[in-house]
Amino acid sequence: MKFKLSLLAAIAATALSATAAQADIAVATAGPITGQYATFGEQMKKGMEQAVADINAAGGVLGQKLKLEVGDDACDPKQAVAVANQLAKAGVKFVAGHFCSGSSIPASQVYAEEGMLQISPASTNPKLTEQGLKNVFRVCGRDDQQGLIAGKYLLDKYKGKNVAILHDKSAYGKGLADETQKALNAGGQKETIYEAYTAGEKDYSALVSKLKQANVDAVYIGGYHTEAGLIARQMKDQGMKAIIVSGDALVTNEYWAITGDAGENTMMTFGPDPREKPDAKAVVEKFRKAGYEPEGYTLYTYAALQIWADAVKQANSTDAAKVADVMRKGNYNTVIGKISFDAKGDVTSPAYVWYKWQNGQYAEVK
């Protein structure tokens, strides 16, 4: 009888082990799937879907397939916390998100408490990685790096001229505007106008009138493409010739869809186009074959999952602390290039270059 019980126990244990080995590992992306910034949520979702498919086709991770969860925060901080808690309850081990810094920062506290690893493809506010959280990383640069480049550009091109700095009051927009202002002021130039606007409105004519009265030559916008596009259009309506300068949140064709030719010559900072990298060629072709152009943060999201999956294999575990330790020591070949991290979770070699909008398309300024 004892032998039979032992045999049954062994069979049961083997069955449980086999079930566990075949169980899916839950991973997620979280961002603005709905709302006015949904174009970026789509980029992240598409990038994550393709990365999951490719990793699963190659055998998965630790002998298990990945299962994708998608969280919609609509770039709202409170909703982001709710999404983070929902993902935790779903047993998610890794989150590629969020998009807006104002979402990533509060959500990161939930992920830290729940032992989940987070890599943001897009959140640039320095605070995200200045919190001392060991589970938090990003594969993009920071506003204090992006703002430095923007400030230098304004000094070089508009020294002694009237420069306005605007922001949308968000963690991303205000953070980027403040860093740009800091760099401009450090170079000995004071902005003519520094002003906030409210995201989500349609009529910015009063703000534009103020810019026109001040004879502004360049308008730096810390904010997203929707409002920047409306401001550009309304500037043209009032006969302004000033150039708009902005950051990485204008890296979407939706910007031109809003501006039309009012967006001509808009300048913006972003990383070197990952679509041009040799390591991205095969993945980019897959996207294009499926009828999707992997612009903006599509490949950054893909890269985030690549890094996590490689680190999990090296750690032989999905435990966030173990994976994070491995990530800080490693160098990773990804679709956006070689990536390594510093102690804070920032990339060690951030790069920003200039892009210019012309004839309905944006291209890197060589």
Side-chain angles (χ1 to χ4, degrees), residues 248-332:
D248 54 307
L250 267 58
V251 186
T252 167
N253 288 325
E254 276 198 9
Y255 175 69
W256 191 269
I258 296 168
T259 65
D261 60 7
E264 190 76 8
N265 296 321
T266 293
M267 301 293 295
M268 62 186 181
T269 43
F270 188 53
D273 194 341
R275 292 173 294 183
E276 303 299 322
K277 294 186 179 294
D279 288 345
K281 185 178 179 181
V283 175
V284 170
E285 285 176 357
K286 285 182 186 178
F287 278 114
R288 289 175 175 165
K289 191 175 180 181
Y292 184 76
E293 184 57 39
E295 65 171 344
Y297 286 100
T298 309
L299 295 177
Y300 281 76
T301 309
Y302 188 106
L305 187 62
Q306 277 186 305
I307 293 166
W308 175 82
D310 285 349
V312 165
K313 292 171 187 174
Q314 291 172 43
N316 197 32
S317 172
T318 58
D319 179 81
K322 292 178 182 178
V323 176
D325 284 343
V326 168
M327 281 175 57
R328 283 185 170 82
K329 298 171 186 172
N331 288 281
Y332 299 92

Side-chain angles (χ1 to χ4, degrees), residues 153-154 158 162-167 180 193 195 197 207-208 211-212 215-222 228 231-232 235 240-247 250 255 266-267:
Y153 176 85
L154 292 171
Y158 296 96
N162 294 323
V163 174
I165 298 178
L166 311 178
H167 69 80
T180 301
I193 292 174
E195 191 146 327
Y197 59 87
L207 173 60
V208 170
L211 298 175
K212 185 177 181 181
N215 294 314
V216 166
D217 299 292
V219 181
Y220 188 84
I221 299 179
I231 290 169
M235 283 170 57
M240 288 188 67
K241 303 293 185 185
I243 296 299
I244 285 181
V245 184
S246 192
L250 267 58
Y255 175 69
T266 293
M267 301 293 295

Side-chain angles (χ1 to χ4, degrees), residues 93-312:
K93 299 294 184 184
F94 166 70
V95 180
H98 296 220
F99 175 74
C100 292
S101 295
S103 293
S104 281
I105 293 167
S108 67
Q109 296 291 335
V110 176
Y111 300 138
E113 290 169 11
E114 297 291 342
M116 300 159 68
L117 196 132
Q118 175 188 15
I119 303 178
S120 174
S123 294
T124 53
N125 189 290
K127 185 180 176 182
L128 178 62
T129 49
E130 294 288 348
Q131 301 174 95
L133 302 177
K134 297 298 183 184
N135 64 307
V136 177
F137 298 80
R138 64 176 130 214
V139 288
C140 56
R142 295 167 41 133
D143 290 334
D144 46 2
Q145 297 154 347
Q146 192 171 192
L148 189 66
I149 290 169
K152 185 179 183 300
Y153 176 85
L154 292 171
L155 282 167
D156 288 346
K157 302 293 184 183
Y158 296 96
K159 193 166 187 65
K161 295 185 178 181
N162 294 323
V163 174
I165 298 178
L166 311 178
H167 69 80
D168 65 358
K169 309 175 194 173
S170 70
Y172 163 72
K174 187 176 187 306
L176 185 54
D178 286 351
E179 292 296 342
T180 301
Q181 178 194 38
K182 190 188 299 181
L184 182 70
N185 295 168
Q189 183 159 337
K190 180 87 169 83
E191 68 279 1
T192 305
I193 292 174
Y194 177 92
E195 191 146 327
Y197 59 87
T198 301
E201 293 186 351
K202 302 297 182 189
D203 184 3
Y204 295 104
S205 57
L207 173 60
V208 170
S209 294
K210 189 172 182 179
L211 298 175
K212 185 177 181 181
Q213 288 168 7
N215 294 314
V216 166
D217 299 292
V219 181
Y220 188 84
I221 299 179
Y224 296 91
H225 70 287
T226 43
E227 291 79 19
L230 289 170
I231 290 169
R233 207 168 70 195
Q234 290 166 32
M235 283 170 57
K236 184 183 180 185
D237 289 345
Q238 292 197 31
M240 288 188 67
K241 303 293 185 185
I243 296 299
I244 285 181
V245 184
S246 192
D248 54 307
L250 267 58
V251 186
T252 167
N253 288 325
E254 276 198 9
Y255 175 69
W256 191 269
I258 296 168
T259 65
D261 60 7
E264 190 76 8
N265 296 321
T266 293
M267 301 293 295
M268 62 186 181
T269 43
F270 188 53
D273 194 341
R275 292 173 294 183
E276 303 299 322
K277 294 186 179 294
D279 288 345
K281 185 178 179 181
V283 175
V284 170
E285 285 176 357
K286 285 182 186 178
F287 278 114
R288 289 175 175 165
K289 191 175 180 181
Y292 184 76
E293 184 57 39
E295 65 171 344
Y297 286 100
T298 309
L299 295 177
Y300 281 76
T301 309
Y302 188 106
L305 187 62
Q306 277 186 305
I307 293 166
W308 175 82
D310 285 349
V312 165

